[in-house]
Amino acid sequence: FETVRCKKLQVQVKGFVPTVQIDNTEAIQLFASKKAEEQGMAIIQSMSTEINLTILPPDEDEDTDPTELPLPSQFVTKFVGGKWVTEPNEHLA
């Protein structure tokens, strides 16, 4: 599925979706099943901020808590080893 120019959006993927496209979106909470994670769901983002991904445990696993992951919206590009390399910006604690 795809989101374009959205604000404060919540989306839940119960099965498997191969690709999630998030464009120009602000404050999205994406809930995905463990199955989607295990089968390699891809998240493609552009010009978006405040993206949080929550992986929900299988329905039969009541003792496991969901896992929440903030997706980076800032990147650093450096010249390393003769080529330009872009990586997520990691903030120091």
Side-chain angles (χ1 to χ4, degrees), residues 3-7 21-27 44-49 51:
T3 66
V4 179
R5 291 185 300 276
C6 297
K7 289 185 180 182
Q21 178 85 25
I22 303 171
D23 290 323
N24 199 9
T25 297
E26 181 181 318
I44 302 168
Q45 64 194 64
S46 173
M47 298 175 52
S48 299
T49 60
I51 302 171

Side-chain angles (χ1 to χ4, degrees), residues 2-74:
E2 181 177 4
T3 66
V4 179
R5 291 185 300 276
C6 297
K7 289 185 180 182
K8 296 183 180 180
L9 180 67
Q10 287 189 1
V11 178
Q12 183 170 352
V13 177
K14 293 191 121 198
F16 174 66
V17 173
T19 306
V20 175
Q21 178 85 25
I22 303 171
D23 290 323
N24 199 9
T25 297
E26 181 181 318
I28 180 171
Q29 180 68 49
L30 174 60
F31 296 92
S33 66
K34 187 71 175 169
K35 180 179 180 180
E37 178 185 55
E38 291 170 347
Q39 292 184 343
M41 177 179 75
I43 301 171
I44 302 168
Q45 64 194 64
S46 173
M47 298 175 52
S48 299
T49 60
E50 300 176 54
I51 302 171
N52 285 312
L53 170 63
T54 301
I55 303 299
L56 302 171
D59 290 338
E60 62 274 4
D61 191 358
E62 296 176 4
D63 296 331
T64 303
D65 292 331
T67 304
E68 186 171 346
L69 307 162
L71 301 187
S73 59
Q74 291 183 332

